[in-house]
Amino acid sequence: MKILIMALLLLMPNLAFAAGGIEAITIAGDGKSYSVTLQILAVMTVLTVLPSLLVMMTSFTRIIIVFSILRQAMGTPQTPSNQILLGLALFLTFFIMSPVFERANDEALQPYLNDHISADIAITKAILPFREFMLRQTRSDDLDMFARISGAEPINDSSEVPLSLLLPAFVTSELKTAFQIGFMIFIPFLIIDMVVASVLMSMGMMMLSPLIISLPFKLMLFVLVDGWALIMETLAASFFI
């Protein structure tokens, strides 16, 4: 619920805090009018934007790409299922982003709910921790590229970076980092596939698929090194370095 309210602060300030309403239906018998306020309409609109907000402004993109590459490297394209990978990525995202959510809640959401600050100030304070998180994970080369494409002035201070430049630069940097981690994960499994294929070729068993033989070895290696714990630890640590 707190995340939904923060999303309202970030995305729909003008509609979410409008005081007026629009007439929805009038009952002729008693003359009463029932209205749907703009605030409810704003909530329904924000619900459709939340998935994009989760992907673009959090660690979700890097995590889900690494999990997908890991599944392909192991040779099990359907295991774990998409639902399991999405669930793992979602909960790991909440773990990594919890300091950001807590800061936005303490500095923006709670003061606004207690009528200590106005909506404009709450929006500014809520955006700030997300900006700092994205700036830490964004490469300067990507920021410079989008600034050059948009024709903006050279950025001298990180506080001057607008969200219109920061968001695409952040997503681009996350894609690069995710594929770099995925490449390092892919190498051990690729070596096992090459060794198994070489052994089968030397034995003259060319009709037997190397994937069938290498799969148990890859699974055994992944279990012996406690692969899931290592992947989770590496992904989480990559955001705190």
Side-chain angles (χ1 to χ4, degrees):
M1 187 61 184
K2 292 179 180 179
I3 298 175
L4 176 59
I5 299 177
M6 283 189 288
L8 285 171
L9 291 175
L10 292 171
L11 295 178
M12 303 292 293
N14 295 329
L15 289 178
F17 303 105
I22 56 175
E23 183 174 330
I25 184 172
T26 301
I27 299 178
D30 52 9
K32 293 183 178 180
S33 297
Y34 297 88
S35 63
V36 179
T37 65
L38 293 178
Q39 295 172 337
I40 297 178
L41 294 178
V43 171
M44 300 303 296
T45 303
V46 168
L47 288 176
T48 63
V49 186
L50 279 178
S52 299
L53 180 68
L54 176 65
V55 171
M56 291 181 61
M57 300 180 64
T58 65
S59 58
F60 184 85
T61 301
R62 184 188 305 184
I63 296 171
I64 194 62
I65 290 177
V66 171
F67 283 165
S68 300
I69 294 177
L70 171 64
R71 187 171 63 176
Q72 294 294 327
M74 292 177 63
T76 56
Q78 301 299 327
T79 305
S81 63
N82 291 332
Q83 291 83 355
I84 294 176
L85 290 186
L86 288 173
L88 286 174
L90 185 62
F91 285 114
L92 190 57
T93 298
F94 285 147
F95 170 76
I96 294 171
M97 299 295 298
S98 58
V100 178
F101 292 149
E102 291 175 0
R103 182 180 169 189
N105 178 63
D106 295 339
E107 298 181 0
L109 178 59
Q110 293 303 323
Y112 172 75
L113 294 178
N114 295 327
D115 294 328
H116 294 160
I117 59 176
S118 64
D120 294 338
I121 298 177
I123 294 170
T124 303
K125 289 182 175 292
I127 292 175
L128 183 59
F130 288 92
R131 283 179 55 91
E132 293 179 355
F133 171 80
M134 289 188 289
L135 282 171
R136 288 197 304 268
Q137 307 301 326
T138 304
R139 294 176 171 85
S140 59
D141 294 341
D142 295 327
L143 278 175
D144 294 339
M145 178 189 68
F146 282 100
R148 184 176 64 255
I149 293 174
S150 63
E153 296 293 332
I155 300 172
N156 299 321
D157 188 1
S158 59
S159 61
E160 301 175 356
V161 180
L163 285 177
S164 59
L165 292 181
L166 181 57
L167 284 175
F170 170 72
V171 174
T172 304
S173 296
E174 287 295 282
L175 290 174
K176 291 180 181 179
T177 305
F179 277 93
Q180 288 175 353
I181 298 175
F183 172 77
M184 299 303 297
I185 292 174
F186 217 106
I187 290 177
F189 299 106
L190 180 62
I191 292 175
I192 293 177
D193 286 334
M194 294 176 61
V195 171
V196 171
S198 299
V199 172
L200 291 178
M201 287 287 292
S202 63
M203 297 175 63
M205 304 174 65
M206 292 176 292
M207 300 300 295
L208 183 61
S209 174
L211 295 178
I212 299 176
I213 306 301
S214 62
L215 178 59
F217 290 99
K218 290 190 287 187
L219 294 177
M220 181 180 63
L221 173 66
F222 193 70
V223 171
L224 289 178
V225 301
D226 199 7
W228 285 113
L230 290 176
I231 295 296
M232 299 286 188
E233 180 181 3
T234 301
L235 286 173
S238 66
F239 289 95
F240 294 102
I241 296 177

